[in-house]
Amino acid sequence: MVSQSSSANADTHIRPVISATGLYTPTDVITNEELVESFNAFVERENAANAGAIEVGETEALQPSSVGFIEKASGIKARHVVDKEAILDPAIMAPRYRERGNDELSLMAEIGVAACREALAMAGRDPEDVDAVLCAASNMQRPYPAMAIEIQQALGTDGFAFDMNVACSSATFGIQTAADYVRAGHARSVLVVSPEITSGHLNWRDRDSHFIFGDVATAVLVERADMAPAEHWDILGTRLKTVFSNNIRNNFGFLNRAHPETVGAADKLFVQEGRKVFKEVVPMVAEMILSEAERLGIDPTSLRRLWLHQANAGMNRLIAQRVLGHEASEDESPTVLDSYGNTSSAGSIIAFHRHRADLAHGDTGLVCSFGAGYSVGAVFLRKVGA
Ligand code: COA
């Protein structure tokens, strides 16, 4: 188990703040109805093809999915994906993207750049004033060169860039890393970009999980307070925690070729024990938030808004209740998973991006992520400015 924490430095010149955020949302949307129709067509085809084996008990018939189950169990109603056509084709049920040449901007970099450009525009920041780009995401399109360095080049930012993967907590771990660079004087302005093309690692043929994920990209600009725009968010403190678990796992990797007989097996895509994750992660997250709030001298019941990880509406209800001491309203703990699905590390950042403009100077809030690892990240914020 690793536990780490840090809090704002008293010196205003090296105090890290969030200056801006950016969001790229793919235009293609898959509703639960479309998803279930395609899944059930696949089930019918498979069961018809295996009718003999099913009849003699050699194999089990696949079970259909249902819109009612998905909405009740997760709260998800739809998700955005980069390209829906092949995903919904019962004969394919996987994304199909044109393979780009090495001289073209890669897909993951492209959506990351779009989110970064929005954050830079919001802050009025010239790319050459950015000292670092951290590509913090669950799945990288390739091992190297780093996605972050390709994004750095496309944006025209200076300094250094690297990739980091802490699954669903990549963005919050990235924010703490960026804040630490600012405090240490290693960088004045850092982009934390989370391009999450989750459609690539989701097993669209798995009834237990085919409804979970969606594609998106987010960006967070972490900067020294003295260069930030008048309206920004003070980082009051951050806390990270990891505890090893096999309950969310993906065995895809370069060593797969060392045992070719299992290449393409179901465990080379996302697999989870969803109920165990739910039960184990909720108390871990609530306890971590409460202990960090206490350490920072923040009354958790005074937090104006919680921008929680977007995996399951029921999990968020329970966590928000434990933190705020009462059932949270949509205003106190906004939901984006209903229309985005689980977008891995980007989920809490989408919530923060879309649901913060109405808060007043001095209001406090919390960005919190949790997921595979297990990994949990919390970022306590206070609004400065209008
Ligand atoms: N359609 C219809 N029924 C389904 C189904 C589907 N697509 N998928 C599963 N079911 C059935 C199961 O077979 C099971 O039936 P049974 O009771 O007859 O055995 C029943 O529904 C309950 O399945 P279960 O997997 O226990 O559902 P759940 O209530 O735990 O909900 C999740 C599943 C994934 C939505 C939920 O566990 C979850 O969100 N967990 C947290 C996951 C998380 O945060 N992960 C981080 C990811 S990065």
Side-chain angles (χ1 to χ4, degrees):
M1 189 192 295
V2 176
S3 182
Q4 223 186 334
S5 68
S6 59
S7 59
N9 193 300
D11 181 343
T12 52
H13 295 295
I14 55 168
R15 196 162 46 82
V17 305
I18 292 180
S19 289
T21 55
L23 171 65
Y24 170 79
T25 304
T27 50
D28 276 13
V29 174
I30 300 178
T31 64
N32 282 347
E33 287 74 13
E34 290 173 298
L35 187 75
V36 167
E37 190 186 328
S38 126
F39 183 88
N40 290 350
F42 156 74
V43 165
E44 271 183 36
R45 287 165 72 128
E46 286 294 300
N47 287 345
N50 297 314
I54 294 169
E55 180 95 17
V56 297
E58 259 173 35
T59 183
E60 281 193 25
L62 297 179
Q63 298 301 311
S65 184
S66 100
V67 171
F69 169 82
I70 295 171
E71 286 193 21
K72 191 157 175 271
S74 69
I76 296 166
K77 295 180 179 154
R79 70 285 296 143
H80 292 264
V81 290
V82 173
D83 189 356
K84 70 192 268 186
E85 199 180 321
I87 290 171
L88 287 181
D89 183 338
I92 305 175
M93 295 180 84
R96 288 282 183 269
Y97 306 130
R98 181 181 66 82
E99 188 166 24
R100 298 183 183 187
N102 289 354
D103 54 344
E104 295 177 90
L105 191 65
S106 58
L107 180 60
M108 191 172 170
E110 181 182 302
I111 70 168
V113 164
C116 288
R117 288 211 169 111
E118 188 181 5
L120 293 174
M122 187 188 283
R125 181 72 53 238
D126 288 332
E128 54 268 28
D129 291 330
V130 173
D131 298 325
V133 176
L134 312 187
C135 182
S138 301
N139 296 278
M140 299 302 161
Q141 191 171 335
R142 60 168 183 262
Y144 43 81
M147 301 311 304
I149 303 177
E150 189 181 4
I151 293 170
Q152 173 192 17
Q153 190 204 34
L155 291 171
T157 63
D158 206 354
F160 63 94
F162 65 88
D163 293 346
M164 54 185 286
N165 177 355
V166 200
C168 288
S169 287
S170 298
T172 51
F173 276 56
I175 291 170
Q176 176 170 310
T177 305
D180 287 344
Y181 284 150
V182 170
R183 283 189 199 100
H186 294 310
R188 297 159 305 146
S189 175
V190 184
L191 271 168
V192 180
V193 55
S194 302
E196 292 286 8
I197 306 181
T198 63
S199 53
H201 82 127
L202 179 56
N203 184 352
W204 297 89
R205 298 179 175 198
D206 173 36
R207 177 174 177 255
D208 288 341
S209 63
H210 76 116
F211 53 88
I212 288 182
F213 288 106
D215 297 338
V216 82
T218 55
V220 179
L221 187 63
V222 178
E223 302 191 304
R224 285 167 62 134
D226 63 349
M227 72 186 285
E231 186 176 319
H232 59 259
W233 291 80
D234 278 344
I235 298 176
L236 301 174
T238 56
R239 177 98 172 203
L240 312 179
K241 182 181 176 77
T242 52
V243 179
F244 186 71
S245 168
N246 278 319
N247 289 333
I248 313 169
R249 189 157 176 137
N250 185 333
N251 286 329
F252 179 79
F254 69 94
L255 285 182
N256 294 161
R257 64 199 287 263
H259 33 85
E261 58 286 352
T262 58
V263 167
D267 71 319
K268 307 304 183 295
L269 295 169
F270 168 87
V271 182
Q272 76 167 348
E273 294 276 352
R275 191 149 288 203
K276 286 188 190 160
V277 174
F278 193 121
K279 281 196 186 140
E280 292 172 8
V281 167
V282 167
M284 189 190 303
V285 172
E287 275 156 32
M288 195 186 97
I289 294 170
L290 293 174
S291 72
E292 183 60 9
E294 189 180 358
R295 198 184 72 81
L296 293 169
I298 295 170
D299 173 4
T301 64
S302 73
L303 289 166
R304 175 66 186 84
R305 191 158 289 162
L306 306 179
W307 299 282
L308 297 180
H309 179 54
Q310 301 287 316
N312 182 292
M315 283 174 105
N316 286 7
R317 250 193 316 277
L318 288 171
I319 292 167
Q321 175 145 24
R322 288 196 198 173
V323 172
L324 298 177
H326 62 261
E327 173 113 6
S329 63
E330 185 59 24
D331 181 64
E332 290 169 313
S333 176
T335 307
V336 301
L337 64 86
D338 53 346
S339 57
Y340 278 90
N342 179 343
T343 49
S344 195
S345 72
S348 57
I349 307 301
I350 304 173
F352 177 60
H353 178 85
R354 293 184 51 165
H355 297 283
R356 71 169 189 266
D358 59 317
L359 266 55
H361 175 80
D363 280 346
T364 54
L366 169 73
V367 173
C368 182
S369 65
F370 33 90
Y374 296 128
S375 57
V376 188
V379 182
F380 288 81
L381 298 168
R382 180 174 53 217
K383 185 166 185 180
V384 174

